[in-house]
Amino acid sequence: MGIFLDNFHKIYQNGNYKREVIEMVTRMEYLQKLLDWKDEKVIKVITGIRRCGKSTLLLQYQEHLKEQGIDIALAVVKVGEDPASAVYVRNKEKACEYVGIKSITYALKEETTQEELLELIDKLNADKEINGILVQLPLPKHLDETEVLNRIDSKKDVDGFHAMNSGRLMNGQPSFVPCEETFLPCTPAGIVELIKRTGVEISGKECVVIGRSNIVGKPMAMLMLKENATVTIAHSRTKDLKEVTKR
């Protein structure tokens, strides 16, 4: 039923939508040639702006928050000066502002130590005014990403990267938050939503996920299994990728 590319979302790093859509199509055409797909109809570019409207879901949540009188605060931690990370953080700040969520960004220096970063996370975990914590990836090479992500209170882990939330996703269990599902990595969850909005029936389809990262590839596969797709995960060691992607 098509192919999902792990880390393909990186094409949106510089925020130039028009140019990046062109780049996305170019990459898909390259992939078509690489995998020797003869049928051009195999490729279908799904754009979220067209399918969902830029603000449809945001407006729904905005109204829900107003009706419930809920005040929510998101803490975003960025370490270093990675250009792509800076764009992602700014976009998150804008999205929070749009729906009335308080966003607090902690921009730490490149040389921040593991101990200093963990100390900040502990502080945010204990802060009752903070509902969600997000550590922007990638971190500088001298920092232990796994330890940092698992230090976040799993109930505040909005990215869904904590081992507890990853495990609950694997087992299909609900989260600690009453009446809510497990925190899900946003890119895979967004892909599932986009596919559903195209009208494609996922159940029973063959699905090939290229990439096995903890951020996109693995959770993408789990979410497609939840939708009753038959999933194959391909990666750098997969033999005869062309044939695998033709399923």
Side-chain angles (χ1 to χ4, degrees), residues 6-7 9 137 145 161 185-188 213-219:
D6 189 359
N7 291 329
H9 62 291
L137 303 178
E145 182 178 295
F161 295 158
C186 61
T187 299
S213 79
N214 294 329
I215 296 176
V216 181
K218 291 177 183 176

Side-chain angles (χ1 to χ4, degrees), residues 76-82 105-114 116-121 124 135 139-140 143:
V76 179
V77 180
K78 180 176 75 72
V79 184
E81 301 299 330
D82 180 74
T105 299
Y106 295 83
L108 307 182
K109 296 180 180 180
E110 183 84 18
E111 59 270 22
T112 297
T113 66
Q114 185 81 2
E116 290 172 333
L117 181 53
L118 294 178
E119 182 179 349
L120 172 59
I121 292 175
L124 297 174
V135 175
L139 293 173
L143 297 175

Side-chain angles (χ1 to χ4, degrees), residues 5-23:
L5 300 181
D6 189 359
N7 291 329
F8 197 63
H9 62 291
K10 289 184 178 179
I11 64 170
Y12 293 101
Q13 286 177 352
N14 70 14
N16 188 327
Y17 178 75
K18 183 176 180 180
R19 188 173 74 187
E20 299 307 338
V21 167
I22 294 174
E23 182 181 349

Side-chain angles (χ1 to χ4, degrees), residues 45-135:
V45 178
I46 304 173
T47 61
I49 298 295
R50 293 179 183 175
R51 289 295 170 183
C52 302
K54 186 174 182 179
S55 60
T56 302
L57 293 177
L58 293 179
L59 287 174
Q60 291 177 5
Y61 282 110
Q62 185 182 45
E63 291 301 317
H64 174 73
L65 293 174
K66 287 182 179 180
E67 293 174 0
Q68 299 297 319
I70 298 175
D71 293 321
I72 295 179
L74 172 67
V76 179
V77 180
K78 180 176 75 72
V79 184
E81 301 299 330
D82 180 74
S85 293
V87 172
Y88 279 124
V89 169
R90 284 198 299 271
N91 288 339
K92 289 164 185 171
E93 290 172 343
K94 291 178 182 179
C96 285
E97 181 180 2
Y98 189 83
V99 297
I101 294 176
K102 183 178 181 181
S103 175
I104 306 172
T105 299
Y106 295 83
L108 307 182
K109 296 180 180 180
E110 183 84 18
E111 59 270 22
T112 297
T113 66
Q114 185 81 2
E115 291 71 24
E116 290 172 333
L117 181 53
L118 294 178
E119 182 179 349
L120 172 59
I121 292 175
D122 288 341
K123 177 182 176 181
L124 297 174
N125 284 338
D127 189 341
K128 295 182 179 180
E129 300 298 319
I130 298 295
N131 307 93
I133 302 171
L134 186 155
V135 175

Side-chain angles (χ1 to χ4, degrees), residues 121-182:
I121 292 175
D122 288 341
K123 177 182 176 181
L124 297 174
N125 284 338
D127 189 341
K128 295 182 179 180
E129 300 298 319
I130 298 295
N131 307 93
I133 302 171
L134 186 155
V135 175
Q136 183 63 46
L137 303 178
L139 293 173
K141 293 182 179 180
H142 68 280
L143 297 175
D144 186 335
E145 182 178 295
T146 300
E147 183 181 16
V148 170
L149 296 178
N150 284 323
R151 191 65 165 253
I152 300 173
D153 185 338
S154 59
K155 299 173 187 175
K156 296 185 177 184
D157 169 38
V158 295
D159 260 335
F161 295 158
H162 189 286
M164 181 69 74
N165 288 324
S166 297
R168 297 177 80 85
L169 172 61
M170 173 71 73
N171 293 331
Q173 297 177 351
S175 72
F176 294 104
V177 184
C179 302
E180 295 290 344
E181 294 183 353
T182 302

